[in-house]
Amino acid sequence: MTYTIEKVTTLIGARRYGDKDANIGFILTDSRSLCFPEETLFFALKSERNDGHNFIPELYRRGVKNFVVTSVPAGYKENYPEANFLKVVDVLEALQRLAERHRDELDIPVVGITGSNGKTMVKEWLYQLLSPQMSVTRSPRSYNSQIGVPLSVWLLNENSQIGLFEAGISQPGEMASLRDIIQPTIAILTNLGAAHQENFESMEAKCREKLVLFHDAKTIVYNADDETVSKVVAEYDYKGEKLYWSAKDKKAPFFVKSVEKKDSATTVTYIYKGGEENWYSLPFIDDASITNSVICALVALRLGVNSADLDERMQQLEPIAMRLEVKEGQHGCTLINDSYNSDINSLDIALDFMNRRPDHKGRQRTLILSDIYQSGEAPEQLYREVSSLCQKRGVEKFIGIGPELCEQADKIQIAEKFFFKSVEQFIHSEVFHSLRDEVILLKGARQFGFDQLTELLVQKVHETILEVNLGAVVKNLNWYRSFMKPETKLVCMIKADAYGAGSVEIAKTLQDHRVDYLAVAVADEGVTLRKNGITSNIMIMNPEMTAFKTMFDYDLEPEVYSFRLLEALVKAAEKEGITGFPVHIKLDTGMHRLGFNPKEDMDKLIDRLKHQNAVIPRSVFSHFVGSDSDGFDDFSAQQFALFDEGSTKLQGAFDHKILRHIDNSAGIEHFPGRQLDMCRLGLGLYGINSRNNEVINNVSTLKTTILQLRHVPAGDTVGYSRKGKIEHDSVIAAIPIGYADGLNRRLGNRHCYCLVNGQKAEYVGNICMDVCMIDVTGIPCKEGDSVEIFGDHLPVTVLSDVLDTIPYEVLTGISNRVKRVYFQD
């Protein structure tokens, strides 16, 4: 569906500057995701740290001609002669209003989904249950925010027969705008949990805010066994259909009579609206999946799915991989795995992800795509759209799998293209065996067997892996940014291989989110980043005199902490004919590690800097000794006073702006008044709050597998030196991780534990170089099961506390032989 620019102007109540004709089919809020500039309307949103108006010149050069703004650029007629500017009071409100008016155009059932957990799972499973018989438009991934919801609703078109949209809130007063945009005919509350509780005065207050989504819905869906939810629902004089479920109330519209769990499946017996007893089976046994399935069953029945089809489709439900995985592949390839479904909107997101990842090797970008089912479009039109997306997103090789793609091969206008009726045919082809040095996006429904491709293409690695959640990195970044003044810049520390997480992928993510500086320890780390396509400013915290030439060649900005280092650096720069090379001056205010004395050295330092032109101070900084502890606050105040004195004197000697920074991760939160021009984010970026040693959003999960199980009788011992004494008959598992992988030997002999299927399993005996043993007595498990060493369910701080050390040491100690696997939420 497209709208004329005149129509859009009217719909959002804007004042128009410019008189060019235009049709709008795409809306854009992130300049990095531009795909179809000719039909794009850019909303210049302002946030605490960014202003979309700053990207108008770049977007205009790239072909965007239509903008929603709060201020029209000066000289717009001369500088933007082909553009239309729609001036509004609030750009976000205009975006939401346009989506709301777009929703008004379609008289179709729309399901709105809110809740503390399970929103995405319910939405995706409803898609799987409904799409065989109707054309479904749904939120891409977790687009459930004040910006994400209007972008999702905009995807509705004339082919849509039903919409499925998430609505997420974190503050009071947020749901009303989302309700007006979604306008749900069926509104679901999945559950009520602790997420964002700190922003609400009570659980009931949060429930009331979530239930704002229920207003005006024809049908509301909720759990009547939750007393808080039932109480708040009863407060409303709701006239529509209350379609609640219960395992206690036999008169409930959906009565859950029984739940029978087996080894790998669950059967749910239910009675719907007082009818006959029915049941369905699903291939999951965890409680969260069972609850989500009840919600989906109830809504599917309400929307016309019969009980027999429900059971058949429930048995085929697939787990929701709500993430893009980045893995190293065979033969120099990198794999981006998004093979849990295939539809046009999620394809665009995945292609955008691939296109935005810098690739220093200049490798070919390849898409392997399966047929797209239940799109609601004619195949000819659908695959023309696919082709257009591929061209816009830089796809150079296209591999189509499925009978429909084979028939529509001529619609794909990519020069290098291949088509196969099945994955098996592709695997046995020369095309498959010739994949070399490519960035490959796997995008296909699981019914096509794309898991076979992943298994064959991924580089075989040690069974112990470190999973790195790039989405959590971004959440932690934004969490700390929320404490900072909008104008304050940020340095992100990625030394020590990004605290063990892998500096290249972390740097790509941070660069994509426009951090101001990256910081590494030595020049070689910076060179690695440059060679992998990182163009951000890079600071070298421990520069070596033998690496000056390297720093000049790769634009790596060194810290300078002594006169000896300064003299050597100036001399090296002058020898190379370099002038104005940026450096970062370090002051010692109490750490007594490295740095100039802010009381004794400043006059001499300023004099030396003023009498040369090889280097120029870009920033001046120092380190707090104990910003993580209130007990050091007085000393921190002394440090800041010293730093303020020395840095102010340095700035006073130069006309150009010298950035001042002293706050680290803990300081950002603890000393907001000392954030100055820039802050440095280290451990906090990787999910550990050093103020309380708690996890913010976990980034790294160390996992391995059970190699072998054996029964060991009481009285026997396990491991070297017979340290692991067995006091009762036990089941002992061997797992392929040892001290050569970074698992500290002091964790052995039952000093700590890992998790097997969610249960604690102590380390037995001495930890060996490559293997260790754990006690799994009483824990249901088998060979091949996953073991969590630390991660989402076992915080790394548990290990560091046992070792009487800091989380840094545990994270940075993970060996390079442990393969890093990256994924994006």
Side-chain angles (χ1 to χ4, degrees):
M1 295 176 68
T2 61
Y3 295 83
T4 64
I5 194 66
E6 291 85 0
K7 179 73 170 176
V8 171
T9 304
T10 301
L11 291 177
I12 66 175
R15 182 177 178 182
R16 181 178 172 188
Y17 294 79
D19 57 2
K20 303 300 179 183
D21 292 335
N23 289 314
I24 302 303
F26 300 88
I27 55 178
L28 180 71
T29 60
D30 186 337
S31 62
R32 297 164 296 181
S33 297
L34 178 64
C35 189
F36 297 98
E38 304 82 7
E39 295 183 58
T40 289
L41 177 63
F42 177 67
F43 284 79
L45 295 169
K46 291 183 180 181
S47 66
E48 288 188 350
R49 307 203 63 82
N50 283 315
D51 184 349
H53 294 76
N54 296 334
F55 301 101
I56 290 173
E58 172 199 346
L59 287 169
Y60 185 78
R61 287 193 300 271
R62 294 169 64 189
V64 178
K65 298 298 188 288
N66 300 283
F67 304 89
V68 178
V69 297
T70 54
S71 58
V72 178
Y76 74 94
K77 291 183 179 179
E78 296 78 20
N79 298 325
Y80 305 97
E82 300 298 318
N84 293 302
F85 291 96
L86 307 187
K87 185 178 179 181
V88 296
V89 175
D90 188 301
V91 173
L92 176 58
E93 287 184 5
L95 171 65
Q96 294 175 338
R97 186 172 181 181
L98 179 60
E100 184 180 339
R101 299 284 78 81
H102 179 64
R103 167 70 179 93
D104 289 341
E105 296 290 317
L106 295 150
D107 183 18
I108 59 173
V110 168
V111 180
I113 307 166
T114 192
S116 298
N117 303 104
K119 295 184 292 293
T120 301
M121 184 74 76
V122 167
K123 178 199 66 186
E124 293 297 329
W125 278 2
L126 277 175
Y127 172 78
Q128 293 182 32
L129 294 173
L130 298 174
S131 59
Q133 65 189 62
M134 60 184 76
S135 177
V136 182
T137 297
R138 70 197 194 281
S139 308
R141 298 192 177 272
S142 298
Y143 277 34
N144 57 30
S145 66
Q146 298 291 312
I147 297 173
V149 168
L151 294 177
S152 298
V153 170
W154 181 260
L155 299 174
L156 289 168
N157 58 49
E158 58 272 11
N159 296 312
S160 303
Q161 295 176 305
I162 188 171
L164 306 175
F165 300 111
E166 299 179 43
I169 60 165
S170 59
Q171 302 279 350
E174 290 184 334
M175 186 60 84
S177 59
L178 302 186
R179 175 203 62 209
D180 292 344
I181 297 166
I182 298 172
Q183 300 171 41
T185 56
I186 299 176
I188 300 171
L189 176 62
T190 58
N191 60 32
L192 196 62
H196 306 298
Q197 186 58 47
E198 68 276 9
N199 297 326
F200 296 89
E201 62 182 18
S202 67
M203 192 68 79
E204 288 184 7
K206 181 166 64 176
C207 185
R208 290 188 187 96
E209 178 65 23
K210 289 184 179 295
L211 294 189
V212 170
L213 183 68
F214 282 19
H215 294 186
D216 302 324
K218 295 178 181 178
T219 301
I220 60 175
V221 179
Y222 61 96
N223 178 8
D225 292 343
D226 186 313
E227 294 181 3
T228 301
V229 174
S230 291
K231 177 183 176 182
V232 175
V233 170
E235 294 175 0
Y236 292 100
D237 185 23
Y238 181 73
K239 304 300 184 183
E241 180 185 23
K242 293 182 179 179
L243 202 58
Y244 56 87
W245 77 92
S246 173
K248 302 174 182 178
D249 180 3
K250 295 181 178 180
K251 296 180 180 180
F254 192 94
F255 173 53
V256 181
K257 184 177 181 181
S258 66
V259 174
E260 182 184 356
K261 294 183 182 181
K262 299 178 182 177
D263 289 342
S264 59
T266 300
T267 298
V268 176
T269 303
Y270 66 91
I271 297 173
Y272 178 60
K273 290 188 174 181
E276 296 181 356
E277 183 177 299
N278 274 298
W279 60 87
Y280 64 82
S281 297
L282 69 155
F284 304 95
I285 60 173
D286 61 288
D287 291 340
S289 293
I290 294 167
T291 299
N292 291 334
S293 78
V294 168
I295 301 169
C296 293
L298 175 53
V299 175
L301 291 168
R302 171 64 177 77
L303 290 168
V305 176
N306 63 53
S307 58
D309 287 340
L310 177 66
D311 181 38
E312 180 182 351
R313 294 172 193 174
M314 279 284 188
Q315 293 181 48
Q316 298 171 5
L317 284 181
E318 296 172 354
I320 306 304
M322 293 176 289
R323 64 195 201 181
L324 289 163
E325 292 183 325
V326 181
K327 299 181 178 182
E328 288 306 309
Q330 305 274 13
H331 310 301
C333 293
T334 293
L335 302 183
I336 301 173
N337 185 21
D338 190 27
S339 59
Y340 81 100
N341 67 14
S342 182
D343 64 87
I344 193 73
N345 295 320
S346 65
L347 173 62
D348 188 25
I349 292 172
L351 287 172
D352 181 43
F353 179 85
M354 178 170 70
N355 192 44
R356 280 162 52 174
R357 307 298 285 177
D359 184 57
H360 71 288
K361 299 176 183 177
R363 292 176 295 180
Q364 185 177 51
R365 284 185 164 87
T366 298
L367 170 64
I368 304 179
L369 178 71
S370 76
D371 284 350
I372 299 176
Y373 291 152
Q374 290 97 33
S375 71
E377 294 185 61
E380 296 83 355
Q381 177 60 28
L382 172 65
Y383 293 108
R384 285 194 187 96
E385 290 182 30
V386 168
S387 178
S388 182
L389 274 179
C390 291
Q391 291 172 302
K392 296 287 186 179
R393 299 295 191 197
V395 173
E396 297 159 292
K397 180 194 286 187
F398 183 97
I399 299 172
I401 296 179
E404 197 169 82
L405 266 167
C406 290
E407 290 181 9
Q408 302 297 328
D410 61 319
K411 307 302 185 300
I412 305 299
Q413 300 300 306
I414 303 294
E416 190 174 358
K417 57 184 180 178
F418 307 91
F419 298 90
F420 303 90
K421 291 184 177 180
S422 66
V423 163
E424 289 73 18
Q425 186 185 15
F426 172 48
I427 289 172
H428 291 95
S429 73
E430 180 59 32
V431 175
F432 176 81
H433 293 288
S434 65
L435 293 172
R436 295 287 189 280
D437 300 315
E438 301 170 42
V439 179
I440 302 172
L441 171 62
L442 292 170
K443 193 76 178 77
R446 294 199 179 196
Q447 64 220 61
F448 281 89
F450 268 45
D451 51 339
Q452 297 178 59
L453 291 179
T454 305
E455 177 68 21
L456 292 170
L457 291 172
V458 74
Q459 191 176 74
K460 299 300 183 290
V461 298
H462 190 32
E463 288 179 281
T464 299
I465 62 170
L466 186 73
E467 287 189 342
V468 181
N469 185 343
L470 299 176
V473 172
V474 175
K475 289 178 182 177
N476 294 329
L477 172 68
N478 290 333
W479 192 81
Y480 278 96
R481 277 177 164 171
S482 72
F483 292 101
M484 295 168 57
K485 296 184 289 291
E487 64 272 17
T488 304
K489 299 181 184 297
L490 190 63
V491 184
C492 286
M493 312 301 293
I494 54 172
K495 59 183 180 178
D497 202 25
Y499 292 51
S503 61
V504 171
E505 288 298 329
I506 298 294
K508 288 178 179 179
T509 298
L510 296 173
Q511 178 171 281
D512 196 39
H513 285 81
R514 300 190 175 104
V515 300
D516 302 284
Y517 265 94
L518 303 173
V520 296
V522 296
D524 285 349
E525 291 179 314
V527 171
T528 298
L529 297 181
R530 289 285 187 244
K531 288 183 175 180
N532 280 275
I534 300 303
T535 58
S536 299
N537 297 319
I538 298 177
M539 191 183 300
I540 306 299
M541 305 301 287
N542 300 105
E544 298 166 308
M545 296 189 187
T546 56
F548 289 153
K549 178 68 163 57
T550 299
M551 287 185 272
F552 299 149
D553 291 344
Y554 288 93
D555 293 321
L556 308 174
E557 304 174 20
E559 162 190 315
V560 175
Y561 53 80
S562 71
F563 288 110
R564 175 173 173 264
L565 178 60
L566 176 60
E567 292 297 340
L569 181 61
V570 169
K571 183 177 180 180
E574 290 175 343
K575 180 180 178 181
E576 296 291 330
I578 289 172
T579 60
F581 194 76
V583 298
H584 303 270
I585 304 299
K586 185 173 188 176
L587 305 184
D588 176 16
T589 59
M591 179 77 77
H592 299 324
R593 186 172 60 181
L594 296 170
F596 293 98
N597 188 313
K599 281 192 170 293
E600 300 175 3
D601 292 340
M602 296 313 296
D603 290 337
K604 180 180 177 182
L605 174 61
I606 290 169
D607 182 69
R608 184 66 187 99
L609 289 170
K610 298 283 282 187
H611 287 87
Q612 56 83 46
N613 61 2
V615 302
I616 184 172
R618 180 69 184 97
S619 83
V620 56
F621 71 103
S622 188
H623 286 278
F624 279 125
V625 168
S627 59
D628 55 351
S629 172
D630 294 351
F632 295 118
D633 281 1
D634 289 343
F635 190 76
S636 295
Q638 296 175 32
Q639 281 193 274
F640 183 74
L642 276 174
F643 177 71
D644 190 42
E645 178 184 346
S647 61
T648 301
K649 190 169 188 176
L650 180 66
Q651 176 64 86
F654 292 88
D655 294 331
H656 73 278
K657 175 68 175 176
I658 300 175
L659 301 172
R660 300 195 302 157
H661 50 111
I662 190 170
D663 268 354
N664 54 6
S665 296
I668 291 171
E669 182 182 0
H670 191 40
F671 300 133
R674 298 169 183 169
Q675 291 176 1
L676 304 177
D677 302 306
M678 190 155 68
C679 299
R680 299 187 305 276
L681 182 56
L683 185 63
L685 183 66
Y686 304 96
I688 308 298
N689 186 337
S690 55
R691 291 276 300 156
N692 54 26
N693 217 33
E694 293 181 356
V695 176
I696 309 166
N697 295 285
N698 181 59
V699 169
S700 297
T701 297
L702 183 60
K703 300 169 71 173
T704 188
T705 59
I706 294 177
L707 290 178
Q708 189 177 35
L709 293 170
R710 68 172 64 249
H711 293 271
V712 179
D716 273 15
T717 60
V718 173
Y720 284 120
S721 304
R722 306 201 70 188
K723 293 284 188 180
K725 294 181 173 59
I726 301 301
E727 296 180 356
H728 51 79
D729 292 352
S730 301
V731 180
I732 302 299
I735 58 177
I737 184 172
Y739 59 79
D741 300 294
L743 188 65
N744 196 296
R745 291 185 80 242
R746 287 181 290 157
L747 298 173
N749 295 303
R750 299 189 186 274
H751 288 128
C752 198
Y753 59 88
C754 54
L755 294 183
V756 176
N757 293 326
Q759 299 187 44
K760 295 180 181 179
E762 293 180 329
Y763 297 106
V764 182
N766 287 332
I767 289 174
C768 310
M769 179 182 289
D770 309 304
V771 176
C772 65
M773 285 68 74
I774 57 176
D775 189 343
V776 294
T777 306
I779 300 175
C781 60
K782 61 184 182 300
E783 293 177 1
D785 279 2
S786 180
V787 179
E788 182 175 316
I789 307 300
F790 63 75
D792 291 338
H793 307 100
L794 176 57
V796 68
T797 50
V798 171
L799 279 68
S800 62
D801 287 347
V802 170
L803 296 169
D804 193 24
T805 186
I806 54 179
Y808 299 76
E809 183 177 340
V810 179
L811 292 171
T812 59
I814 305 305
S815 167
N816 285 332
R817 82 176 188 178
V818 175
K819 190 67 179 176
R820 274 66 173 169
V821 175
Y822 300 92
F823 64 90
Q824 179 80 44
D825 279 331

